[in-house]
Amino acid sequence: AEMEHYHGGALDGGSCRALMGVADQLFVKILAMLEELHDDVSFNTIRSHVVKYKRALALLDVVWSSVRGVDGILPTEAFLATLEEDIKLAREAWLDAGLNIRGHPKAHLTFDGHLLDQVREFGGLADMGEDWIEQLHQVWKKERMLTWQIPNFEKQQLCQLSNMRIKENMRVVAVKSATNEARKRTFKPSVDNAAVSLIY
């Protein structure tokens, strides 16, 4: 997991998935750290609060992972009913964890009915997805890795732009496409192989 500058120092999607993959182990470490910091509070009290946060975040993930929508498939009434119930459970868990809704615009959007209305009216939030932005982040991240040894920042930027212009040049794209097509290997079974396949 790495901090990315284009997210203001936050984690990108890949790093978030890597982090959540070891969430259980992290919660154990968080519990131990909190117990050291708050020696006047019992372990069970700390664990209770941490478990509440864990449940709230897990339910929030359930809600938001289900509202992206699938291209060409509109949400059914059964899906909307399930989503409404999931939002209700997530709202209860959020408040139970002592988290604020009014002070968080995204929490207000999620829990106060706007999210459900948006999905019902427009069939999901896929059109609002930022996947294409994330893809561009990866492109420029690769360019930074290729030019990181250039000490002068301005020259580094010019080099990155030059590389991108070359890659996007229509003649270069056409040549690459033709080369890749010509490189494709066609596997034809030989006479011996065909004979063997008939025997078996």
Side-chain angles (χ1 to χ4, degrees):
E2 298 178 357
M3 300 292 186
E4 297 292 355
H5 73 279
Y6 52 76
H7 277 293
L11 299 171
D12 63 7
S15 295
C16 284
R17 285 191 294 273
L19 197 64
M20 294 310 297
V22 292
D24 289 336
Q25 296 93 308
L26 287 175
F27 268 106
V28 172
K29 292 182 179 180
I30 290 171
L31 279 171
M33 290 173 61
L34 290 174
E35 191 178 18
E36 290 180 7
L37 290 171
H38 303 281
D39 54 2
D40 57 330
V41 182
S42 70
F43 175 79
N44 288 335
T45 302
I46 294 173
R47 186 180 186 281
S48 175
H49 281 290
V50 171
V51 169
K52 286 179 180 179
Y53 276 111
K54 186 177 178 180
R55 183 170 183 271
L57 294 175
L59 287 169
L60 192 64
D61 181 60
V62 168
V63 170
W64 278 98
S65 62
S66 65
V67 297
R68 285 180 54 85
V70 179
D71 189 25
I73 301 177
L74 294 175
T76 63
E77 286 302 320
F79 170 82
L80 291 171
T82 301
L83 176 61
E84 186 172 10
E85 183 63 25
D86 289 341
I87 291 174
K88 180 182 176 182
L89 291 173
R91 190 180 199 279
E92 291 172 356
W94 190 267
L95 293 173
D96 188 43
L99 298 170
N100 187 9
I101 291 180
R102 291 186 178 180
H104 295 275
K106 288 185 178 179
H108 167 68
L109 167 70
T110 305
F111 301 129
D112 289 341
H114 302 302
L115 177 62
L116 185 63
D117 291 341
Q118 177 85 5
V119 174
R120 182 179 283 114
E121 182 71 21
F122 300 105
L125 303 179
D127 291 341
M128 305 296 179
E130 299 179 348
D131 296 3
W132 62 278
I133 298 176
E134 296 299 326
Q135 182 62 36
L136 286 176
H137 286 327
Q138 299 304 316
V139 170
W140 286 106
K141 183 178 180 179
K142 184 176 181 181
E143 290 300 325
R144 286 198 303 276
M145 291 173 65
L146 293 172
T147 58
W148 70 273
Q149 288 183 317
I150 301 176
N152 184 283
F153 179 76
E154 186 176 350
K155 289 182 178 179
Q156 184 187 77
Q157 296 293 299
L158 289 173
C159 187
Q160 291 175 8
L161 287 171
S162 177
N163 289 342
M164 291 299 294
R165 289 195 181 104
I166 292 171
K167 291 176 182 177
E168 294 175 357
N169 185 287
M170 295 305 295
R171 291 182 180 179
V172 174
V173 172
V175 171
K176 285 176 66 177
S177 178
T179 303
N180 289 333
E181 192 65 29
R183 287 176 58 195
K184 289 183 179 178
R185 298 176 63 185
T186 54
F187 296 95
K188 297 181 179 179
S190 63
V191 176
D192 293 338
N193 288 340
V196 170
S197 63
L198 287 174
I199 292 172
Y200 287 98

